[in-house]
Amino acid sequence: MPAAILPALRARFGALVRELSKFGIVGSTAFAVDLTIFNVLLQSGSESLTAKTISTVIATTVAFLGNRFWTWRHRGHANMARQYVTFFLLNAVGLVIGLSCLAISHYGLGLIWPEFQSPLADNISGQLVGTAVGTLFRFWSYRRFVFGEVVVPDPIEPGIPAPSHRDAPAPAPQSVPPTAPPAVPRM
């Protein structure tokens, strides 16, 4: 029995690794889009919060499209507008998780140890820890709430008879080349 379970576990783990890899590529691309657009808008004279809002909305849209049509294309997709709104809201929760890590480090631990109020500590807690924990939440929540379950055709269940040849449409007649008459043995 355990030998039968091993291939199924290996297949599930392989699928999870593929999803994680694609999710990482999509996220890296969205991060690059966010960073580029933010800096272009800043250089063109846009206000910081406006530039960040615009770049974040565009990057979130890029991430949604990449995840919907590549990372989780094999999952159910019922309503794109609902999926996008849910995706955006869960992305905001991921942002709050990252900001919480920064706040705990800077304002909580920083009151006890001033070293936690340095730019290095802020980058470690906000960019590294906060982004890592927020990304884990995003992966889990997108996979569970936004992109639904895997859509796999149901195999024929045991006990349910397979469709008979009588239920199938008749095949189109095919022309068959004439065959030679059978040979008659000579005596």
Side-chain angles (χ1 to χ4, degrees):
M1 189 67 147
I5 295 173
L6 191 59
L9 288 175
R10 191 175 305 134
R12 288 187 76 180
F13 182 72
L16 181 64
V17 168
R18 283 188 297 281
E19 283 183 352
L20 275 169
S21 299
K22 289 178 179 182
F23 180 77
I25 292 168
V26 168
S28 298
T29 302
F31 176 77
V33 166
D34 185 18
L35 188 66
T36 302
I37 292 174
F38 177 68
N39 282 296
V40 165
L41 290 173
L42 282 181
Q43 294 300 318
S44 68
S46 293
E47 192 271 326
S48 297
L49 292 177
T50 303
K52 187 59 180 168
T53 301
I54 292 169
S55 69
T56 299
V57 169
I58 293 171
T60 300
T61 303
V62 167
F64 171 75
L65 294 172
N67 283 315
R68 185 176 199 270
F69 293 110
W70 188 47
T71 305
W72 288 298
R73 70 175 176 245
H74 61 285
R75 291 177 171 262
H77 300 289
N79 182 340
M80 190 163 167
R82 184 194 61 76
Q83 281 183 318
Y84 182 73
V85 169
T86 306
F87 184 90
F88 208 89
L89 291 173
L90 292 171
N91 199 43
V93 172
L95 175 63
V96 168
I97 290 170
L99 292 174
S100 297
C101 291
L102 176 59
I104 289 168
S105 172
H106 188 88
Y107 297 108
L109 298 174
L111 293 175
I112 301 167
W113 297 287
E115 299 84 27
F116 281 90
Q117 292 181 340
S118 70
L120 175 62
D122 287 349
N123 273 292
I124 290 171
S125 62
Q127 297 294 74
L128 295 178
V129 176
T131 299
V133 175
T135 298
L136 288 173
F137 167 79
R138 285 180 184 101
F139 179 78
W140 171 79
S141 64
Y142 297 165
R143 191 170 190 256
R144 176 157 174 105
F145 299 113
V146 179
F147 298 110
E149 295 299 319
V150 176
V151 177
V152 179
D154 291 332
I156 297 175
E157 295 181 23
I160 298 176
S164 69
H165 66 282
R166 286 182 282 148
D167 297 337
Q174 298 178 351
S175 62
V176 178
T179 58
V184 177
R186 294 192 186 226
M187 299 231 191

